[in-house]
Amino acid sequence: MEIKMPLLGQRLKLLRNEKGMTQQDMAELLGKTSRHYQDMEAGKINVPGLTLIKLADLFQVSIDYLVGRSEDRRRF
């Protein structure tokens, strides 16, 4: 079963723009290609747990917020 996460992509784009970062900046930070990061924002791929942790730490939000399980950005 494949689960796609379009809300994750929307939130990544929002948070990235709030930080003034480009998709290329994000790709380099994560050690991915630009295309791979674009696919993450488009909700086309599933993001590994360790990458979710890295993104949550970078944006100082909870993983639940990133994946759309909560509207609360605060980390616990």
Side-chain angles (χ1 to χ4, degrees):
M1 174 172 80
E2 185 172 333
I3 300 171
K4 305 261 169 124
M5 293 196 219
L7 192 51
L8 170 65
Q10 293 169 14
R11 295 214 167 148
L12 284 177
K13 184 176 182 177
L14 172 74
L15 293 165
R16 175 179 60 78
N17 286 329
E18 286 177 1
K19 279 207 171 274
M21 298 176 75
T22 66
Q23 288 183 329
Q24 181 63 40
D25 294 335
M26 292 299 298
E28 289 173 8
L29 181 77
L30 297 172
K32 308 289 183 191
T33 64
S34 292
R35 183 69 204 164
H36 185 88
Y37 183 77
Q38 289 167 2
D39 286 346
M40 287 171 62
E41 276 195 12
K44 293 181 180 179
I45 61 171
N46 291 316
V47 179
L50 291 175
T51 303
L52 288 174
I53 292 169
K54 189 171 188 173
L55 289 165
D57 288 348
L58 170 70
F59 294 123
Q60 298 182 343
V61 298
S62 71
I63 292 174
D64 281 346
Y65 174 78
L66 275 179
V67 300
R69 292 174 43 117
S70 172
E71 295 301 314
D72 188 353
R73 288 186 179 199
R74 291 177 293 164
R75 296 189 295 176
F76 301 100

